[in-house]
Amino acid sequence: MAGFIIGVFALAGMIKGMIGLGLPAISMGLLTIVMSPFQAASLLIVPSLLTNFWQLFAEGRVIRLIKRFWSLILGIVVGSIWSIFPTLSDTQFPSEALLGSMLALYGIYGLFAKNLPNLSRHQHWLSPLVGYLGGALTVSTGVVLIPVVPYLQSLQLQRDDLVQSLGLAFTVSNVCLAAFLYFNPVEHIQFSYQMVLMGLIPALIGMWLGAKIRYRISEVRFRRLFFMGLIALGGYMLLRTVVKLI
């Protein structure tokens, strides 16, 4: 178990260091192979939060970013408090299937969406709506992915601004998820600080390595492999859920 957790967070951290996202998606997708989504989300909080802080503050200009995306932030907070979806604390809800669907859909989107429409002129009303859905899905799956990531990519931001904007959305979502897990505990799941640290250090090392090699490989090829991996992982999670129900 320990070796598997270390390997998962090292891989997820490296991917995040290279393209600015992927740590929650990869970590949740792989960890749920050996544990419940609630426990996986609990292990993910500290590594994800610290790596997102790194991503958010590395370039500076955070206040300017908050001023632009304050309604997105507010929407994420509201969505995590009043979610329209069943949450991770609902043991009867197949959150693994919802997470698998999100991973597969995002993988398909990443592979086949070539030119996104520029939605920046609609940002004033789209940001709170997208934020709400992102927050609601975060407390349902443990991952902020759809629709927040495609939305930010559709604003035609510069590469560094996009990475930092993703860091802002991920940081806010992680804080909301941490609060949700704290106030909605599942009694039979034991929280281990040793296991949290077991994921944190490999994630930080992996992110550092990923940032170092970001410009040394073909980003287009790596992204293609990343999205194909998400489709495979999401499909596996969906299949496993179906098998459990049969």
Side-chain angles (χ1 to χ4, degrees):
M1 174 76 78
F4 183 76
I5 292 173
I6 291 172
V8 166
F9 279 104
L11 173 64
M14 185 180 69
I15 292 173
K16 183 177 181 66
M18 295 177 70
I19 63 176
L21 54 90
L23 191 146
I26 294 297
S27 299
M28 281 293 294
L30 292 176
L31 288 175
T32 51
I33 295 175
V34 297
M35 62 183 66
S36 72
F38 190 98
Q39 187 175 13
S42 299
L43 291 181
L44 181 63
I45 287 296
V46 174
S48 186
L49 189 59
L50 289 183
T51 53
N52 287 331
F53 262 88
W54 183 348
Q55 180 175 336
L56 173 59
F57 289 99
E59 301 294 332
R61 307 187 304 273
V62 177
I63 299 300
R64 175 183 61 84
L65 206 64
I66 293 174
K67 287 180 178 179
R68 177 172 183 180
F69 291 111
W70 67 268
S71 60
L72 178 72
I73 295 171
L74 181 61
I76 292 173
V77 174
V78 173
S80 67
I81 297 173
W82 293 290
S83 175
I84 59 174
F85 307 109
T87 62
L88 288 167
S89 61
D90 184 354
T91 56
Q92 303 301 314
F93 176 65
S95 56
E96 183 181 355
L98 180 58
L99 175 59
S101 301
M102 287 178 58
L103 296 182
L105 286 173
Y106 185 63
I108 293 170
Y109 152 80
L111 280 179
F112 299 106
K114 300 301 181 183
N115 297 310
L116 290 171
N118 188 342
L119 299 179
S120 57
R121 59 181 175 173
H122 306 295
Q123 182 181 331
H124 64 285
W125 65 269
L126 276 177
S127 283
L129 176 61
V130 170
Y132 173 81
L133 291 174
L137 286 169
T138 295
V139 296
S140 294
T141 65
V143 174
V144 56
L145 194 61
I146 293 176
V148 173
V149 175
Y151 168 67
L152 289 175
Q153 291 174 329
S154 73
L155 298 181
Q156 308 299 319
L157 301 169
Q158 296 296 320
R159 176 172 176 169
D160 290 341
D161 287 339
L162 175 59
V163 170
Q164 193 177 20
S165 299
L166 290 170
L168 175 63
F170 295 158
T171 299
V172 174
S173 298
N174 280 153
V175 172
C176 292
L177 179 60
F180 170 81
L181 295 175
Y182 178 80
F183 288 109
N184 299 274
V186 176
E187 293 183 2
H188 66 277
I189 293 178
Q190 298 296 318
F191 185 81
S192 169
Y193 289 99
Q194 289 82 3
M195 293 181 71
V196 170
L197 292 176
M198 195 185 301
L200 173 61
I201 296 173
L204 292 174
I205 293 174
M207 189 171 179
W208 177 77
L209 288 174
K212 287 290 184 182
I213 63 177
R214 181 185 299 174
Y215 299 105
R216 297 187 181 182
I217 68 169
S218 169
E219 183 179 352
V220 173
R221 179 177 298 177
F222 182 82
R223 281 181 174 272
R224 186 177 299 116
L225 291 174
F226 170 70
F227 288 125
M228 290 174 66
L230 285 184
I231 294 172
L233 182 58
Y236 169 76
M237 294 174 70
L238 285 170
L239 180 62
R240 191 173 63 174
T241 302
V242 171
V243 171
K244 287 179 180 179
L245 294 175
I246 294 177

